[in-house]
Amino acid sequence: MPGNIVLKEEPPDINRYMDLFCTTGWNEEYKVTSGMMQTVLNNSWYIVSAYIDEKLVGFGRVITDGILHAMIYEMIVDPEFQGKGIGTQILKMLVGKCKQQGIRDIQLFCARGKKEFYIKNGFESRPDDAPGMQYMIK
């Protein structure tokens, strides 16, 4: 049986993070190196890392302008540990920090099949006629 969840407001070890990041399959498209990902973490405003028995099992981060907008990125829970409330705890900390700062708008992109998780945690889908836009660099 795994131990207690320990949440830390700090970046994880980059090698542990890359292992967790790769569980998502996202790096098949992004093809980022550990060095690149270290820069990503360094440029984040707020980070929450989740551990069980010193194993990194969850992660989330925020970037923001500090007043109007914040964006949550890389909400990840190791597939082996999903469904145990880890993602909910991380998300609550990320949202709580944004609220504490007085940020007015928190956004995120949700992975396919994860919409209900975010709705359950207070997020709303944008209307189909106003979903926003993105520019993907290939």
Side-chain angles (χ1 to χ4, degrees):
M1 197 70 182
N4 291 332
I5 300 164
V6 175
L7 299 166
K8 297 183 179 180
E9 297 174 288
E10 61 187 39
D13 170 81
I14 195 61
N15 294 318
R16 288 181 179 185
Y17 181 67
M18 286 300 295
D19 289 344
L20 180 64
F21 184 77
C22 287
T23 68
T24 65
W26 297 335
N27 211 27
E28 293 170 19
E29 180 179 347
Y30 291 134
K31 298 180 181 2
V32 294
T33 64
S34 295
M36 292 169 164
M37 193 58 81
Q38 187 64 61
T39 300
V40 167
L41 297 182
N42 292 346
N43 288 327
S44 299
W45 176 71
Y46 182 62
I47 290 175
V48 176
S49 302
Y51 299 86
I52 294 179
D53 298 331
E54 299 187 33
K55 174 184 169 71
L56 180 66
V57 296
F59 177 86
R61 71 185 181 99
V62 175
I63 61 171
T64 181
D65 58 26
I67 297 171
L68 293 178
H69 304 285
M71 190 78 168
I72 294 174
Y73 288 106
E74 280 94 49
M75 274 289 305
I76 304 169
V77 175
D78 183 315
E80 181 182 335
F81 295 90
Q82 290 178 5
K84 300 181 184 322
I86 296 167
T88 298
Q89 289 182 56
I90 293 169
L91 188 60
K92 283 183 180 179
M93 288 180 71
L94 298 174
V95 169
K97 184 73 167 184
C98 292
K99 286 180 174 181
Q100 179 184 19
Q101 179 72 23
I103 294 168
R104 286 131 175 102
D105 176 52
I106 305 168
Q107 299 179 27
L108 58 78
F109 293 109
C110 123
R112 188 172 286 117
K114 302 298 182 184
K115 180 178 175 178
E116 292 306 314
F117 167 78
Y118 293 104
I119 290 172
K120 177 178 78 175
N121 284 285
F123 282 79
E124 300 173 358
S125 295
R126 291 182 56 99
D128 287 341
D129 64 348
M133 302 293 292
Q134 70 178 10
Y135 184 94
M136 295 294 291
I137 299 172
K138 300 283 182 183

